[in-house]
Amino acid sequence: MDGFFNDLAIMAPAVAFNIYFAAASIPLGFVMAVFLALGKASPNPLINALSRGYIYAFRGSPLFIQFFMFYSLALSLNLTVWKPLGISGFVLHPLFVGPLVLVLNTAAYTAEIFYGALRAVPRGAIEAARAYGMSRTQQFRRVVWPNLIRLAWPAYTNEVVFLFHATAIVYFALPVVGPQADLMITAKTLFERDYNAFLHFSVAAIYFLLVSLVVFFLFGLIYQRLMRHLPAQPGLRFAPKWLR
Amino acid sequence: MSEDLAFWAGYITNGKHLTWYASFQFTVYAALLGGALAVVFGLTGATLKNSRFVGFRLIGSTYSSIVRGVPDVLFFLFFPLAFEQGVEWLVSTQVCSVESIAAQTAPWPPCREANWFLGTTEYLLLASVSLGLVYGAFATNVIHGAMRAVPAGQLEAARAYGMSAAQVLWRVHIRQMWVYALPGLSNVWMLIVKATSLLSLLQIADIVLWADRLGAPNFLPTVGLVHDDWRWRYYLVLFVFYILVTWLSERAFEALMRRTGRGILSEVPA
């Protein structure tokens, strides 16, 4: 039991790295995904093909390979580009490359979710907006977007949790700088010290589960806010109702 | 020009590259075996989850929610290590003497005789099993949903024919379930294919490890620098390889869907 609490304390700073990777890539990925989804729905053949290809490529290949590919690409450009500019320490840092690749990856997955939601927006609502004489931007801001985000939110919540889980492989592909180790690396070093797989990996799993539950809770709150126009579900009762 | 061509033909068929090509088999084996096991675990999990006995139902739902709640890498690393230690502990209860335990300086295994050395084959098997366990949890959910999608009338008809509960399950329920499960299982298969890139974490010399070795700056004392850092080119090849595999799997699942959906689904989604 002592070892358990020890591990909880050791891994508390490590979970901050996983949360950093997720938190740094979610907002940018969200914005990029909106543009990619619109691009995939666009009638312009060039934009359409580009966004389609991008989404297909990044959803069809493993994140692990993407990490290796972009990091080694950045490394090979080091002598010719980053060094002369004097930013190699910044560009090659895992705290920069990690979120960068995660953004590229999650944008593709999120774009697919948003594209599905975009196609599910009721046709009648858009026609009504057009009948009111709204411009294209007005249509999007007032009708399409609110519908889209409500339809996409549950699936987007799942994607955010998957992204958080994906942060577990960041440091298997990128170098660990000094004490900047995330949950998986910490669990692995602890394991290599005393070979207690059950303890260390379970504690890491508990942290992942806890953060996932927090994400589900927070995104559930946002979903409730998005759905506030609908009658609320009756809440749970904790005492029996004796009289009607 | 022709000299260049001859050089490149020689370069990409040298011994190291041939080993790299051969290592693609590990990826394929792990994906196929992992996929088959995922279906087996998924069927087991879904049957447990559908059971009328609370204990079984609890096991099924705990399995699918816990394993899906932690990252796949974590379980992928944990299961082979835990299995190895479990076997070593079992062996140690039989072969270790008090002296050999006292002579052991490392924290694990309990004594030197109990050490179990794992080669590539063993690790590959363990990796496939853990892929099956992880994605079996996803398949459990998919199959559980699909079993509920089977029209109740079909099961009632089967019961009306006098089939027992087991007969209804095996002859009607599970056979009709596949059509509804296929789209979800196709997603699980894509996840498994992508997870095979993690094999190098279990000390298997797979395509990722070889790409890293081949692309690393190559320096020979007699020749000098043969090539500088070419790793991204090799990773680009793997990137394209995985996209191709995804594309092929999509086509295959579409064909399978069209075939199994005959007479059941009026309209097969394109």
Side-chain angles (χ1 to χ4, degrees):
Chain A
M1 213 59 207
D2 232 23
F4 178 75
F5 289 115
N6 249 343
D7 266 25
L8 276 183
I10 293 172
M11 289 193 195
V15 72
F17 284 92
N18 291 81
I19 294 174
Y20 162 76
F21 283 127
S25 41
I26 285 166
L28 264 176
F30 185 88
V31 174
M32 198 171 154
V34 175
F35 285 104
L36 277 171
L38 289 178
K40 194 171 172 178
S42 143
N44 181 332
L46 180 70
I47 296 175
N48 188 300
L50 280 177
S51 353
R52 252 169 219 279
Y54 178 88
I55 293 173
Y56 197 86
F58 277 84
R59 289 179 77 231
S61 61
L63 178 62
F64 203 47
I65 303 282
Q66 289 163 20
F67 268 120
F68 278 124
M69 196 173 78
F70 282 99
Y71 184 64
S72 53
L73 194 61
L75 268 183
S76 70
L77 292 177
N78 188 22
L79 284 180
T80 49
V81 184
W82 315 131
K83 265 275 169 59
L85 288 172
I87 52 170
S88 69
F90 173 72
V91 172
L92 295 178
H93 201 285
L95 293 183
F96 173 78
V97 181
L100 175 80
V101 179
L102 283 171
V103 163
L104 295 178
N105 184 275
T106 191
Y109 281 94
T110 312
E112 189 63 29
I113 293 170
F114 286 174
Y115 175 70
L118 187 65
R119 297 217 317 180
V121 171
R123 196 134 280 285
I126 301 172
E127 276 163 14
R130 213 177 293 148
Y132 271 116
M134 289 189 186
S135 68
R136 292 290 297 266
T137 11
Q138 273 178 326
Q139 276 175 43
F140 182 76
R141 279 193 40 213
R142 303 250 170 103
V143 180
V144 177
W145 175 250
N147 270 305
L148 187 158
I149 198 68
R150 279 180 196 130
L151 288 167
W153 199 258
Y156 181 63
T157 308
N158 276 337
E159 166 54 24
V160 168
V161 171
F162 273 123
L163 174 75
F164 179 67
H165 287 181
T167 60
I169 63 168
V170 172
Y171 277 121
F172 284 125
L174 304 179
V176 181
V177 181
Q180 298 178 359
D182 75 331
L183 278 176
M184 284 308 293
I185 297 296
T186 314
K188 208 160 165 256
T189 21
L190 287 175
F191 167 76
E192 275 154 12
R193 206 172 294 161
D194 62 0
Y195 295 96
N196 193 344
F198 288 90
L199 175 65
H200 304 312
F201 285 107
S202 305
V203 174
I206 286 172
Y207 268 115
F208 275 113
L209 272 174
L210 273 181
V211 178
S212 307
L213 287 178
V214 171
V215 170
F216 277 128
F217 175 72
L218 290 178
F219 277 65
L221 283 185
I222 298 176
Y223 191 59
Q224 270 180 16
R225 167 108 189 125
L226 287 173
M227 288 301 194
R228 65 190 181 281
H229 59 292
L230 292 182
Q233 292 278 324
L236 279 179
R237 266 192 287 124
F238 295 100
K241 208 182 220 172
W242 302 110
L243 286 168
R244 281 181 198 278
Chain B
M1 180 64 201
S2 69
E3 230 171 65
D4 267 10
L5 220 61
F7 167 77
W8 285 110
Y11 177 73
I12 61 166
T13 53
N14 67 15
K16 270 188 166 183
H17 277 80
L18 290 181
T19 324
W20 182 38
Y21 305 145
S23 68
F24 276 82
Q25 61 178 313
F26 300 139
T27 308
V28 175
Y29 291 155
L32 291 179
L33 188 54
L37 285 172
V39 171
V40 172
F41 288 127
L43 268 177
T44 318
T47 321
L48 288 175
K49 226 173 153 177
N50 257 347
S51 161
R52 281 176 56 201
F53 177 55
V54 183
F56 286 157
R57 184 172 281 221
L58 216 64
I59 294 174
S61 40
T62 319
Y63 163 60
S64 82
S65 47
I66 293 284
V67 176
R68 286 186 314 138
V70 301
D72 48 354
V73 207
L74 196 150
F75 209 82
F76 185 75
L77 272 185
F78 167 74
F79 174 75
L81 294 173
F83 186 82
E84 184 191 352
Q85 288 198 338
V87 170
E88 283 176 338
W89 177 80
L90 262 185
V91 173
S92 76
T93 57
Q94 302 303 316
V95 301
C96 286
S97 61
V98 181
E99 297 85 52
S100 66
I101 290 176
Q104 173 68 314
T105 45
W108 192 265
C111 71
R112 202 155 293 176
E113 288 78 28
N115 188 28
W116 181 28
F117 176 76
L118 291 149
T120 300
T121 323
E122 288 89 346
Y123 268 125
L124 199 60
L125 279 174
L126 282 178
S128 309
V129 175
S130 72
L131 279 180
L133 272 175
V134 174
Y135 293 105
F138 289 81
T140 295
N141 248 25
V142 168
I143 292 174
H144 181 70
M147 284 177 94
R148 294 170 64 151
V150 174
Q154 298 281 351
L155 305 180
E156 277 165 20
R159 268 180 228 123
Y161 270 113
M163 289 190 186
S164 67
Q167 279 176 327
V168 172
L169 178 69
W170 286 107
R171 297 199 184 169
V172 181
H173 207 163
I174 287 182
R175 298 205 185 171
Q176 295 201 3
M177 166 276 289
W178 292 114
V179 186
Y180 306 101
L182 263 181
L185 288 181
S186 130
N187 286 342
V188 174
W189 167 251
M190 302 298 179
L191 289 176
I192 293 178
V193 167
K194 283 180 246 166
T196 54
S197 64
L198 300 172
L199 288 180
S200 59
L201 296 181
L202 288 178
Q203 286 135 52
I204 297 169
D206 75 330
I207 48 177
V208 179
L209 202 83
W210 275 108
D212 191 72
R213 282 186 198 165
L214 286 166
N218 196 348
F219 183 85
L220 291 177
T222 46
V223 195
L225 191 67
V226 182
H227 64 73
D228 49 0
D229 196 350
W230 278 4
R231 267 177 290 193
W232 67 272
R233 303 175 192 213
Y234 285 91
Y235 286 127
L236 191 65
V237 171
L238 293 186
F239 187 70
V240 174
F241 165 73
Y242 273 106
I243 293 172
L244 277 179
V245 173
T246 305
W247 184 80
L248 273 178
S249 316
E250 264 182 14
R251 294 287 92 79
F253 268 100
E254 264 169 31
L256 204 64
M257 193 67 202
R258 225 172 291 131
R259 203 176 143 66
T260 48
R262 280 177 317 175
I264 301 181
L265 301 175
S266 52
E267 184 192 25
V268 178

